């Protein structure tokens, strides 16, 4: 039986482990956190499960009782859905854990054993949003032009290393933005109209934000997940600043690596405690 919350096309996308999925949580201060977690899948009806592997900050947020989470399901065809869910708990040594341990991502890889099976109950799901290649190009070019309106300011923290800056500048890189919406759940959406204007600032064309009914406010804390084909993944955190209804920018103050060999390490300043 298919639960009405999760339509069949979304269920089909969720069950493909290669489908990119981005998981967003929040801490007790309302700070968003968003990372790629491909292992999310459907257990039964509206019960969702993922294998916890390299998610230090995510796990800490959930274990602290901040159980409102969101999952952006984003296919290689650039179709996407946003699922809002309530986290239940981590399971170990039971049938739910065995279910996730037998999935392709974990079953045949001795280096990626799941530390636990995270279970959440979906409360709602958005409609499907498609993005065409022409929309990607248009957003990229608009961001490039709009970068001239972003003021520059030197800072000691939040500066992207050159390798992150170059990846953030790529049109083909997947860039996903998260913030905490008024209902308490993270709002998450892809935005190809994001480009660095300096080592610590990113211009944002607000096309997907507006199309999906979201509304970033001046001073909102945001998190960006950056994934490229190398593969490499990073998380950038900062504060949203509004220029006008169509354009804004993000003042960065944190940059983290999210992939091996050191997931969770801050890379904008010398080595600190992992936080991903």
């Amino acid at each position: 039986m298919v639960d009405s919350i999760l339509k069949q096309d979304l269920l089909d996308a969720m069950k493909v482990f290669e489908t990119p999925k981005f998981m967003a949580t929040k801490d007790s201060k309302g700070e968003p956190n968003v990372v790629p977690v491909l292992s999310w899948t459907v257990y039964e009806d509206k019960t969702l499960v993922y294998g916890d592997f390299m998610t230090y900050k995510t796990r800490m947020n959930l274990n602290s009782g901040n159980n409102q989470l969101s999952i952006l399901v984003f296919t290689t065809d650039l179709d996407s859905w946003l699922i809002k869910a309530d986290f239940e708990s981590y399971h170990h040594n039971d049938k739910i854990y065995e279910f996730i341990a037998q999935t392709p991502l974990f079953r045949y890889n001795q280096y990626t054993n799941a530390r636990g099976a995270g279970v959440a109950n979906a409360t709602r799901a958005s409609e499907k949003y498609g993005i065409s290649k022409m929309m990607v190009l248009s957003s990229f070019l608009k961001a490039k032009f709009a970068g001239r309106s972003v003021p520059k300011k030197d800072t000691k923290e939040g500066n992207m290393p050159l390798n992150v800056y170059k990846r953030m500048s790529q049109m083909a890189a997947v860039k996903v933005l998260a913030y905490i919406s008024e209902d308490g759940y993270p709002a998450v959406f892809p935005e190809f109209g994001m480009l660095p204007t300096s080592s610590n600032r990113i211009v944002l064309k607000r096309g997907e934000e507006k199309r999906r009914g979201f509304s970033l406010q001046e001073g909102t804390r945001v998190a960006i997940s950056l994934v490229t084909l190398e593969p490499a993944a990073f998380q950038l955190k900062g504060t949203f600043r509004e220029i006008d209804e169509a354009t804004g920018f993000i003042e960065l103050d944190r940059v983290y690596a999210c992939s091996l060999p050191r997931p969770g390490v801050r890379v904008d300043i010398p080595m600190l405690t992992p936080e991903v």
Side-chain angles (χ1 to χ4, degrees):
M1 175 181 173
V2 177
D3 192 275
S4 60
I5 292 175
L6 306 175
K7 304 302 183 184
Q8 190 61 51
D9 52 358
L10 173 53
L11 284 168
D12 292 341
M14 283 284 290
K15 290 175 180 178
V16 177
F17 279 89
E18 291 79 9
T19 298
K21 307 170 189 94
F22 295 84
M23 177 182 181
T25 58
K26 63 180 180 180
D27 66 15
S28 298
K29 296 180 180 179
E31 180 82 2
N33 196 80
V34 61
V35 288
V37 181
L38 273 64
S39 60
W40 273 109
T41 189
V42 180
Y43 181 66
E44 59 183 19
D45 296 334
K46 61 182 180 181
T47 301
L48 311 177
V49 60
Y50 85 100
D52 179 44
F53 175 49
M54 294 191 301
T55 56
Y56 172 82
K57 180 61 174 177
T58 297
R59 188 175 70 256
M60 188 167 68
N61 284 347
L62 296 173
N63 282 335
S64 297
N66 306 299
N67 67 335
Q68 293 172 307
L69 63 89
S70 294
I71 306 161
L72 178 72
V73 182
F74 190 43
T75 72
T76 53
D77 293 328
L78 306 185
D79 292 329
S80 63
W81 303 257
L82 181 64
I83 301 171
K84 294 183 178 182
D86 293 328
F87 184 72
E88 179 216 282
S89 64
Y90 286 107
H91 289 236
H92 306 84
N93 302 317
D94 62 6
K95 63 180 183 179
I96 295 181
Y97 178 82
E98 288 304 317
F99 170 83
I100 204 68
Q102 292 302 311
T103 56
L105 189 62
F106 297 106
R107 183 177 184 182
Y108 303 111
N109 194 331
Q110 61 179 322
Y111 301 107
T112 58
N113 292 325
R115 294 178 295 188
V119 176
N121 295 307
T123 59
R124 71 198 83 165
S126 74
E127 62 182 284
K128 179 172 71 174
Y129 290 91
I131 300 175
S132 68
K133 292 181 180 179
M134 186 58 68
M135 291 169 70
V136 172
L137 176 60
S138 175
S139 296
F140 181 83
L141 294 177
K142 287 178 180 177
K144 204 164 189 178
F145 180 79
R148 304 171 188 175
S149 61
V150 177
K152 292 184 173 11
K153 182 179 180 180
D154 291 335
T155 57
K156 293 182 178 179
E157 298 182 85
N159 291 287
M160 291 176 280
L162 183 59
N163 65 323
V164 180
Y165 183 96
K166 287 181 176 179
R167 288 173 169 88
M168 193 72 201
S169 302
Q170 296 174 8
M171 183 171 66
V174 176
K175 304 159 190 176
V176 169
L177 187 146
Y179 73 99
I180 307 306
S181 59
E182 292 180 356
D183 64 4
Y185 289 87
V188 194
F189 56 94
E191 185 54 83
F192 290 93
M194 281 196 285
L195 284 173
T197 60
S198 63
S199 65
N200 59 4
R201 296 201 170 184
I202 294 172
V203 68
L204 171 66
K205 291 304 294 181
R206 306 174 67 180
E208 290 303 311
E209 172 203 342
K210 299 297 183 181
R211 185 161 79 106
R212 296 168 193 244
F214 299 134
S215 181
L216 284 165
Q217 302 297 316
E218 171 71 21
T220 298
R221 292 294 295 169
V222 302
I224 299 168
S225 182
L226 168 65
V227 179
T228 58
L229 298 175
E230 278 86 346
F234 302 89
Q235 183 173 194
L236 305 89
K237 295 190 178 185
T239 302
F240 172 76
R241 301 299 180 193
E242 185 175 55
I243 295 176
D244 54 43
E245 282 293 311
T247 311
F249 67 93
I250 298 161
E251 297 177 334
L252 296 178
D253 49 52
R254 301 284 188 277
V255 182
Y256 299 94
C258 294
S259 48
L260 296 172
R262 293 184 63 83
V265 170
R266 258 183 92 173
V267 295
D268 58 310
I269 59 176
M271 296 292 188
L272 289 180
T273 304
E275 187 177 345
V276 171

